[in-house]
C-alpha cells in the first residue's frame, strides 16, 4: 500500500516530535554563501523580528557553511572568531532572547561543501557540541562523503549516525538532511529525520536548464546519480511531482530554501515559486537579505493566507493532476501548463494553476480532475458546489509593505485587530490552525466566485510564468447523491 | 537458460507447499483503506460465503493495515480493541468456521504504510503472533524500510527474515511479499515466498498515467527506483509483459488486488482488468465492498470459465505476442492493441485480444503469432485447426446475479447440477482442474467458431478498452506433418 | 587505458590455461531443453564424430539442465537414473573414448533454472563431484540466485566461489559463466572464468523483438537489470557491439549457443548468425539435433574458412564500424546495415557487411572505415591494396553434405588430401593456426577481387538478412608512405 | 549546498599538497601503447627539456603500462629488463637530473589493462616500491578489478587503499585515479586523490561516436556502467559539462591525455581540444611522440597564454552556458555550437565559443550569458565594459616552431626577454601566477576589441570544429549601479 499521510495517522507522527508542520525560517546560503558573521546573523534576526516575519512563523535562523576554524585539540569544532568573535553560544542566546531558534550546518562527509571541518565519523562529538551551543536545527549536507553512497542502505547508515547522535544529546534538534535526493531519502528518511532535500540546489531562475543540474525528474523512477546544483523552479517542481506522497506530518520533502527577493526572477515567477513551495509543504526557509528586503518580496513572503496553507495541520504535498505542453515556449524552450491539487485539514481543497507558458492565458480545472484522487467524476466532492478564494488576492500593497519594512507601520496590537483584517498574522496570538478553524479572513484570501457541481474552475488572465492559487470551500449547493454507476 | 515453469517441473514446486495455483480471496485496502473493523471483516466474510464466492475459490479474507494499537510490554502486537473488540483469534476462529482462511498484514519496515507498528527486526516475534492468531496468509509491505534496499541482496535479506520466521512457526502461512518490484523480486523470491508484488499499487483507472506511479515498464530492464502508486491497468500490464516467465507453480507475480466493483472504470474496462489478471496467473484478491456488490461486478468476479483459467494446474503467465500503437487515442493519450497468449495444462491455448484503442474494432490473431513460442509457422500447433471458445460468452445476466446477491437464487445443489449449467461452480464439489479434465461446460465458455491450420482468429467488435478472451481447443482437423524447411 | 587483447599480451593469458581460443562443441538446451538422456548424449556424440564435426573442432559435448534427482544423504548430486541409467562417469568415459570432452551444467543459485538441485553454497562438493565424473566444462547458470546480485562485487563473489572450487579439484575444467550479463561480467570475469554470457538467452529469430528480452544494448552503458530470454540475433549483436574489447585469449564474451539448424530462420539468416558468432570469437556451441541435421545446416556449421576465423590465435571480437538505418524494414520493423571488422593474427583483416535490411542490396566498406582503429585514412593499412576472399564462397553443396551426413562420403584421409581441397578440415591433423600459416586453401575461402589503396570494398547482391564475410589479404600493391599530414 | 572551489577555500586545499594547479607532463600511452623502453622515456625527456616544454611546465614524464616482468620472490614488481636494462631507479635519477618528475602506472586490479602484474591487494608493497624508485606520480587504472565496483562505497574503498599506501611511504606522490568515471569519483575522490579520469579513454577523433564508448554524458545523472574507450573530444566535453563544479584546487577531473600531434584531427580540431582541456583545468598530459613533433602541434602545446589559463591559481572548470544544435552536421552527424565560461583568479573571464558545426560561422555570446552565474543581466559584471583578448592570436608561426624543434632557435635568456615577447614562457623564471599578476603580454594573447556593458561578444569566422578562446578583462567603462529590479 502507499504511504498514509496526515489524514489517516497511525500512532507515530514526527520521529522526534519536531516539524509537525513544515519548519519556517531563514538561511544565509542563497544570498551570502560563505560570507557569514555574527553581525549578519544577529542583524538579520533583529530585522526578522522587527518586520513581523518571526510572528508569521519564520522562527529558525540558520547559519550555513564556513563558520569554523578547524578543531580544538580535544576534537571539538573551533569557531572562526574573526567571523564570530563571541562564539556560537552567544549567537544562540541572542537568538533565543529574540524568540527565535538557532540552526546550524554540517556535512555527512569529511569536509563541508566549503571545505571546512565536517562530521562524518564525528557525529557524537559534533552533535553534543551543537547541543551545548543551544542549536535547535541542523542542516546536514552531503559533500565529500567518502563514497558512502550508492544504495539506500549505505546512505541511510551514514545519515542515521547523526540522527542517533542528535537524539543522544537529549536536546530537541530538528534534523534536516541535505542529501540532494541521493539514494532516494523519500523512501526511508521519515523514521529518522524531519526533512530531506529532494533535489540538487535551487537557483534563482524559473525555467532555465543548467547542465550542472543534469536530472529532470523524468529519469526512470527519478533515480539521479548526480543531483548537482543550479536547479530551476520548474526542474524542482517536476521532480517533486513524483514523490509528493512521501511528505507527511513530521517528515517532509525539502525543496530547498527560497530565492524570493534575490532578483533573478520576475514578480510573477516568485509568486509561483512561493505558491508551489507552500502547496508542497516544503519547509519555508527565506534565502535573501532580510535587512534590505524589497516590499514586493516582503508581500510574497508574508502573506498569511499562503502561509496558512503551508502550515495546515493535514501535512501533505499537493499532487500534480496534469501537465500539458503548450506552443508558447519561453527563451529556455520551456512551455507548459499544470494543475496541482491538495486537500486541507478542514476538507477545503487548494489548487494551483501554473502557467509555465510564455503568454498570459485563461486556465481551467474541472472538479473531476481536482478531485481525481477522491474518485473524480463519481466522487462526492466533484458532485457539489464550491466557493473559490484567491489566496493572493489580498496581497499587501507595496506602500504598506515599505512602511512595515522601514518601521513606520504599526504591528498587530490584538487578536481582534488580527481577525479583522486581511494581510497580517501573528502566530503567537493565534496559530494558523486555530485561525483556519475560526475562519479568519486573513487566512482565506478573497472569494472571487463559485463553481457548480461537476463544473470547471476558471482562472482568468494567469500571467506568463504565473499562478492562480485558489482555495475551494464547499458551499453546500448542488450536492447530489451519486447516481447509478451505469449512467457514467 | 530461462526459468522453467510448470510444464517442466524439477523436484521443487512451491517452497512451502502453498499457492500451488494462485491464491484467491478478498482484501479490504482498495475499498476501505484504514477503515477496518471486526464487523467489516466478518460481515464481508459471511457475504462471501452467502453469494457463493467462497465456493468459487475466494477463500482468503485479508485484513490489511491499521489494525493495531502499538505493542504490549512483552513486545507483541496489541490489537486495536476499538476496531476489533474480540481480538484477532476470534476473527480467525470465525473465518475458519465459515470455511475461509485468514490473512493479515505487516511491513518489512519500522512502520506500516499507515504508520502502525511493523515487523522489521521483530520477525520472529510477529510471525509467532500471527501463527498464534491462526493466520494463514501474510501480506508483507515495504514502507519505512530503513533504507534496506538498493540491491537484490539487501532486499532479499530483509524479506528472507520473515520467510524464515514464518517457516519457524510450523504453521503453513502463505507469504505474499508486497515490495512493489523493488530490487526485482521476480529474480529471487521464488525460493522463499509465494507471490510478490511487481509494481506500485494499482488504482481504479484503465489508462490514466499518474506521476506518482512514474515507471512504465519500458525502463531499461524494467528497473524502477520509485514504484509509487496510482498505477493503471495498462501500466501494470506493460510491466508484467517483461517478467511473465518468472511466474510459476507456488510462486507468482502479484499484480495487486482487483478494482472490479469500485466504480472508476467501465464494465468493459473491468472485464479487461479481470481477464488479464486471470490470464497472468496473478493472485485474485477482490478489493471492493462485497456487502453491496453490483450484479455486473459479481458476474465478472464469479465467472467459472475465467477462474478456471487462473487456477489452471500449469501455472504460468500469458506472454504478450505483440502490441501495436493505433491512431484512436483515448483522453489519456493511450491507444494500442495487444495480443497475449498462454498454453494450458490440457494443451488448450488461451488468448486475450486487448483493444486499448478508443473505438470498437475487429481484431485478428494468427496461429503463427499465437504459437510463436512453439515455433510459430513451423510449429505443429499452428499447423492444425482449433475450435474457439469465448470465455466471457456465458457471463451471468444481471437479473440472476441480483437474485444471488439478495439471496433469492438457489445455490448449486449437486455436482450433476454443476456440470449441467454454464455460469456456476463449487470447488468443494469439484476442483477446477478436475472440471477441466471432465470438460465441464461451465469452464469453457461458449464455442463461437473455429480456425483452420495456419489461419487467423478474428474477434468481431471488440469494445473500446475491452477484450476478447478466447480458449482454443485443438479439433484434430488439418493437422499436417511439417513440410521440409526449405519450403518456408 | 583500455584492455589489451592478444596483440599485446602481458604475462598472463587464460586464467586456467583453457579456452585459449574459443571453445567449440554441442549443448542440448536449444533443441531439447529438459528432455535429456544418456541416449541423446551418446547418440549425438557418435554422430558428431561420424560426420567430422569433432575433427573440425567441436569437441565439448555439454549436458545441460534437468539431469539430477536430488542429492544423496552425503550431499552429493544424485543422477536421474531414469535418464542416465549408468550415471555420469559412464557418460564421461564414453565421450572421452570418442575423443570428446564432457561438459555439465549447474546454477549459482538454490535451484537450476529447471528447478533441480543447484550449487550455491555447495560449490566445493559439486566441483569435486564434477571432477570425479570426469567433467571438462561447466556451464554455470544464474537462476534462483538468492538475490546475490546488484553490484559487480556481489556477482563476482558468487561466481568466484565456483571458480575457486573448480581450481581446487586439480582437474582442468573450462568455466563458462552463464550469468546473462548481470552486473557486467565483461568488466571482471577474465581473471576467474573462461567465458561469460553477455545477454539473456538467444532464440531462433533473426530480428523479432520479444518483451521477455527487454534490453537492447542501447541502455546507458548497456546496464541491463533484466536480461530475460528470447533475444534475437540482431539484439545480441547490438549488445556485443559495446563490449567487443573485453574478449581476449582465454576469456571470451559468450553470445550463447547456436540456433543453426533449428528451423526458425532462413538460410541467409543462419549464415549471418554463424558469421557473427564466429567473427566475435564467441564460443561455438551447436544447439540443434545433430542426429537429424539438415545438409544446409551442416554446411554452415562445418565451413573450415569460417571456423578458422573463430579459432584465430589473435583472439578478439570484431568491432562494429558503423550501423545505418535503412528504409526497407522487415516485418519486425528492423532495418539497418552494418560493417564489422577485425584484425587477424597474420595481419589479414576480416569484415562482415551485414544486410539487416529487408531487400537485397550492394554494400560498400571503405578501407578508411575498415582500418579506422589503425588510424583510418592515415593508417598504413588503408594506404595499400588488398585481395578479397569470400569466406562463404566454398560452402559445401547440399549433395556432398548429405553424403557425409548419411555416411556415404569418405572422411579426409591424409594431410595432403586436406590441403588440396576447399571444404574440409581435421584439426587432429593440422590445427587452424598451422593451416593459416600454411595458407591452406580450405581456410581462406575464395578470392573474388581486390581493392586499391584508399579504395572501397564492394559486396554485390547481399541478401536480405544476409552477410558478406570477407577476408582481406595485403597484396603489396599501392603501398605509399604516408604523406605529410597537412594534406589531409 | 554545492562544492565550493578556489574562490572560497576552507582550510583544506589539496589532500596531499600536490596538484594545487593541474599537473602537466607527458605519457606514452596514446602514441606508443605497450611499446615502452628506457630509450623512449629518456629520449623523450631530453627532447621535452630541449624544446622548452619542461620550462613551460610539462614536468611529469609518465611511464604507462607494460613495463614489468612479473614479481620477485619477495613479491615486489620486477622490471622488464629487456625494455629497461637499468631498472627504474636509473630512469628516475635521470629524469630528476633533467629537472623532471617521474610518473608510473599500475591498476587497482589483479592485472593491468595490458595484463601485467597489478596492485590490488598489494598496495603497501607496490607503493613502497614506487617510492623506492623515486616515483612522483601514479596513474592508477581500473582494469581486472575483481568486480570491486558497483557503488561509490566499493570503488572508494578500493582506491583509498592505494591513497593510504602512497601516504604511508612519506614520499609526495601525485595520485591520479584512472577509474574512467566508474561509480562517480567526482563525488568522493577529492579527499584522497589529486585527479580522477571522468570518462573512458579519449581517442584521436573530434566527433565520431564509437560504440565502444557507449555513454554520452546525457544518461540520467551521467551514470555510466561501461565507460569503454574511443571517446571523442565532443563526447568527453559533453560529459564534463555535467561535473565542472567538482574540479578544484588539488583535485581535478582528468579528461585524459592529449591527442595533439597524433594526426587524427585537423589543426582546428586540435586547437579546440587543447582549448577545452585547458579551460576545464584538466591535467595536461601530452600524448604524442615528442621526438618527432610537428611545428603546428608544438605551437598548440606551447602557447603560454593558453597554459596560463590552465594553471590559473583559481582552479576551476569552465561551465557550459549553452549548447545549441545547428543544421550543418558533419560526417558523424554531429553539429552544434557551444559557449563555455570561467572566472579567473584576477577577475578576468575566459570564454570558449566552440563551433562544432560543419561550416565556418560568426558566433556571439552576450555578457548576460557569460556572467549568468554572477546573476546574468543583473550582475555587476554584465553591467560594465570589457576588453577582449584572443588567447590564440599570438600562436607561434611554424617557422619559429621548427627552429626551436630542430635546435636552431635560442631559448629565453632572461626574465626581461620573457616579458617583452608574446610566445614563450619559462616557469622557472616566473610562474604563470606571477606573470598574470605582472600582466605579462605572453600570457594574455592579443587584444582584439571590446564590448560595452550588457553587450555581446562576437567572434568572426570561427572555423568548422574550431574555437574562439577569449579572455575578457574589465575596462572600467560603462559600469553602472544596478537599477531598481522592477525595471527588469
Amino acid at each position: 500500500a502507499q504511504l498514509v499521510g496526515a489524514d489517516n495517522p497511525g500512532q507515530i507522527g514526527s520521529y522526534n516530535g519536531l516539524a509537525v508542520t513544515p519548519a519556517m525560517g531563514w538561511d544565509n546560503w542563497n544570498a551570502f554563501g560563505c560570507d557569514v558573521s555574527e553581525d549578519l546573523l544577529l542583524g538579520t534576526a533583529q530585522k526578522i523580528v522587527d518586520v513581523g516575519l518571526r510572528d508569521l512563523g519564520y522562527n529558525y535562523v540558520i547559519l550555513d557553511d564556513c563558520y569554523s576554524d578547524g578543531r580544538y585539540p580535544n576534537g571539538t569544532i573551533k569557531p572562526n572568531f574573526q567571523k564570530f568573535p563571541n562564539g556560537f553560544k552567544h549567537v544562540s542566546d541572542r537568538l533565543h532572547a529574540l524568540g527565535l531558534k538557532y540552526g546550524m550546518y554540517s556535512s555527512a562527509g569529511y569536509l563541508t561543501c566549503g571545505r571546512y571541518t565536517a562530521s562524518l565519523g564525528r557525529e557524537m562529538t559534533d552533535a553534543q557540541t551543537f547541543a551545548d551551543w543551544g542549536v535547535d536545527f541542523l542542516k546536514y549536507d552531503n559533500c565529500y562523503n567518502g563514497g558512502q553512497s550508492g544504495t539506500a542502505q549505505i546512505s541511510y547508515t551514514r545519515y542515521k549516525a547523526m540522527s542517533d547522535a542528535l537524539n543522544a544529546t537529549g536536546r530537541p534538534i530538528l534534523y534536516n538532511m541535505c542529501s540532494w535526493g541521493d539514494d532516494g531519502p523519500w523512501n526511508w528518511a521519515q523514521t529518522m529525520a524531519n526533512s530531506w532535500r529532494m533535489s540538487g540546489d535551487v537557483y534563482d531562475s524559473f525555467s532555465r536548464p543548467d547542465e550542472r543540474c543534469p536530472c529532470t525528474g523524468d529519469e526512470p523512477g527519478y533515480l539521479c546519480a548526480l543531483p548537482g546544483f543550479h536547479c530551476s523552479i520548474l526542474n524542482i517542481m517536476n521532480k517533486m511531482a513524483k514523490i509528493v506522497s512521501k511528505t507527511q506530518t513530521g517528515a517532509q520533502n525539502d525543496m530547498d530554501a527560497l530565492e524570493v527577493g534575490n532578483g533573478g526572477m520576475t514578480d510573477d515567477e516568485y509568486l509561483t515559486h512561493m505558491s508551489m513551495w507552500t502547496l508542497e509543504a516544503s519547509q519555508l526557509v527565506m534565502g535573501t537579505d532580510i535587512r534590505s528586503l524589497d516590499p514586493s518580496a516582503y508581500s510574497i513572503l508574508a502573506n498569511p493566507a499562503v502561509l496558512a496553507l503551508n502550515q495546515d495541520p493535514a501535512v501533505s504535498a499537493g499532487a500534480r493532476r496534469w501537465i500539458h505542453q503548450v506552443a508558447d515556449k519561453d527563451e529556455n524552450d520551456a512551455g507548459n501548463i499544470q494543475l496541482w491539487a491538495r486537500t486541507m485539514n478542514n476538507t477545503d481543497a487548494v489548487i494551483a494553476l501554473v502557467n509555465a507558458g510564455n503568454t498570459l492565458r485563461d486556465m481551467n480545472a474541472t472538479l473531476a480532475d481536482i478531485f481525481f484522487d477522491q474518485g473524480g467524476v463519481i466522487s462526492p466532492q466533484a458532485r457539489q458546489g464550491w466557493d473559490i478564494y484567491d489566496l493572493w488576492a489580498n496581497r499587501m500593497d507595496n506602500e504598506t509593505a515599505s512602511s512595515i519594512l522601514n518601521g513606520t507601520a504599526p504591528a498587530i496590537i490584538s487578536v481582534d485587530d488580527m481577525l479583522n483584517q486581511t494581510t497580517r498574522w501573528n502566530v503567537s496570538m493565534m496559530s494558523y490552525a486555530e485561525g483556519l478553524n475560526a475562519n479568519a479572513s486573513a487566512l482565506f484570501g478573497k472569494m472571487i466566485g463559485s463553481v457548480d457541481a461537476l463544473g470547471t474552475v476558471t482562472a482568468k488572465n494567469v500571467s506568463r510564468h504565473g499562478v492562480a492559487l485558489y482555495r475551494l470551500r464547499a458551499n453546500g449547493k448542488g450536492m447530489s447523491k451519486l447516481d447509478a454507476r451505469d449512467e457514467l
Side-chain angles (χ1 to χ4, degrees), chain A:
Chain A
Q2 73 268 32
L3 296 182
V4 174
D7 294 338
N8 285 300
Q11 298 115 315
I12 301 170
S14 168
Y15 89 106
N16 62 357
L18 302 174
V20 173
T21 59
M24 296 175 62
W26 174 85
D27 178 290
N28 63 269
W29 184 263
N30 283 4
F32 298 93
C34 274
D35 190 14
V36 292
S37 66
E38 179 183 310
D39 284 353
L40 172 64
L41 255 71
L42 298 185
T44 298
Q46 186 64 53
K47 192 74 177 182
I48 285 172
V49 173
D50 292 346
V51 303
L53 288 166
R54 179 198 62 191
D55 293 339
L56 282 158
Y58 294 101
N59 57 350
Y60 286 98
V61 173
I62 306 162
L63 170 59
D64 212 287
D65 200 359
C66 312
Y67 56 74
S68 69
D69 186 20
R71 289 178 181 266
Y72 288 111
N74 72 356
T76 59
I77 299 169
K78 180 181 173 192
N80 180 321
F81 289 109
Q82 250 81 43
K83 299 174 178 175
F84 297 90
N86 303 294
F88 297 123
K89 186 65 170 65
H90 173 76
V91 172
S92 171
D93 290 343
R94 291 287 302 274
L95 293 175
H96 291 149
L98 287 169
L100 295 166
K101 294 178 178 171
Y102 180 34
M104 284 192 82
Y105 164 98
S106 187
S107 179
Y110 297 126
L111 295 172
T112 69
C113 297
R115 301 199 288 184
Y116 290 83
T117 189
S119 302
L120 185 59
R122 314 179 191 248
E123 291 86 357
M124 292 299 287
T125 301
D126 288 358
Q128 190 57 51
T129 300
F130 295 141
D132 293 346
W133 285 339
V135 167
D136 306 299
F137 178 112
L138 180 67
K139 174 181 175 182
Y140 200 48
D141 218 327
N142 194 26
C143 284
Y144 302 109
N145 61 32
Q148 296 190 18
S149 69
T151 66
Q153 191 177 47
I154 300 172
S155 283
Y156 179 90
T157 301
R158 182 161 49 97
Y159 275 91
K160 183 64 156 50
M162 182 54 88
S163 177
D164 290 345
L166 292 173
N167 286 351
T169 67
R171 181 175 178 88
I173 300 178
L174 193 153
Y175 184 34
N176 170 232
M177 287 170 46
C178 180
S179 62
W180 324 321
D182 250 12
D183 294 324
W186 41 82
N187 288 323
W188 44 263
Q190 293 90 348
T191 51
M192 60 102 157
N194 297 107
S195 55
W196 55 89
R197 285 276 302 284
M198 43 58 72
S199 166
D201 284 18
V202 68
Y203 83 145
D204 196 8
S205 170
F206 185 73
S207 65
R208 181 177 176 275
D210 189 299
E211 292 187 274
R212 292 167 289 184
C213 173
C215 294
T216 66
D218 291 324
E219 296 78 23
Y222 177 28
L223 181 71
C224 181
L226 187 60
F229 65 121
H230 283 212
C231 303
S232 73
I233 302 304
L234 284 184
N235 176 281
I236 293 174
M237 284 168 58
N238 201 55
K239 293 166 174 167
M240 188 68 198
K242 314 303 184 290
I243 53 175
V244 290
S245 68
K246 310 297 188 176
T247 282
Q248 57 185 241
T249 300
Q252 294 103 31
N253 282 293
D254 171 11
M255 299 168 83
D256 204 354
L258 298 164
E259 291 284 0
V260 177
N262 285 333
M265 291 187 257
T266 66
D267 191 69
D268 282 319
E269 291 169 341
Y270 281 136
L271 279 173
T272 304
H273 171 25
M274 183 72 184
S275 298
M276 292 308 304
W277 263 233
T278 299
L279 184 70
E280 295 306 289
S282 176
Q283 63 184 28
L284 292 181
V285 176
M286 301 181 292
T288 194
D289 187 350
I290 302 299
R291 300 166 308 180
S292 62
L293 197 59
D294 274 350
S296 64
Y298 180 80
S299 63
I300 292 175
L301 295 168
N303 185 320
V306 174
L307 297 177
L309 163 61
N310 181 261
Q311 295 295 306
D312 194 89
V315 177
S316 71
R320 188 152 71 180
R321 288 286 183 260
W322 46 252
I323 174 171
H324 300 303
Q325 297 302 309
V326 294
D328 46 308
K329 303 294 184 193
D330 69 14
E331 69 277 15
N332 297 315
D333 203 32
N336 61 59
I337 55 174
Q338 310 181 18
L339 170 65
W340 298 70
R342 175 177 166 194
T343 301
M344 311 312 299
N345 192 50
N346 65 358
T347 75
D348 289 358
V350 173
I351 65 170
L353 279 160
V354 177
N355 178 12
N358 203 38
T359 52
L360 175 146
R361 57 168 37 87
D362 294 347
M363 297 184 71
N364 296 304
T366 66
L367 291 182
D369 279 344
I370 293 168
F371 295 109
F372 191 87
D373 282 3
Q374 289 75 33
V377 70
I378 63 171
S379 68
Q381 287 88 343
R383 291 181 167 257
Q384 65 172 299
W386 298 80
D387 293 335
I388 303 169
Y389 291 74
D390 181 346
L391 295 183
W392 285 113
N394 292 332
R395 180 180 174 186
M396 187 180 285
D397 63 274
N398 275 353
E399 189 175 3
T400 308
S402 293
S403 65
I404 291 174
L405 289 167
N406 64 25
T408 59
I412 294 170
I413 294 167
S414 68
V415 173
D416 281 355
D417 179 35
M418 181 165 77
L419 294 179
N420 286 327
Q421 48 74 52
T422 60
T423 62
R424 306 184 198 182
W425 197 259
N426 184 327
V427 295
S428 69
M429 294 182 181
M430 183 179 281
S431 72
Y432 288 115
E434 292 168 318
L436 290 165
N437 282 340
N439 288 317
S441 54
L443 304 187
F444 288 91
K446 179 178 169 186
M447 180 171 159
I448 59 166
S450 62
V451 56
D452 291 339
L454 295 176
T456 297
V457 177
T458 297
K460 291 287 196 185
N461 296 322
V462 183
S463 303
R464 166 192 182 276
H465 292 190
V467 68
L469 186 69
Y470 291 168
R471 191 172 189 118
L472 275 57
R473 315 204 70 190
N475 60 18
K477 294 178 193 162
M479 175 75 79
S480 69
K481 190 171 172 308
L482 184 60
D483 297 316
R485 283 172 181 162
D486 56 0
E487 90 168 3
L488 294 178

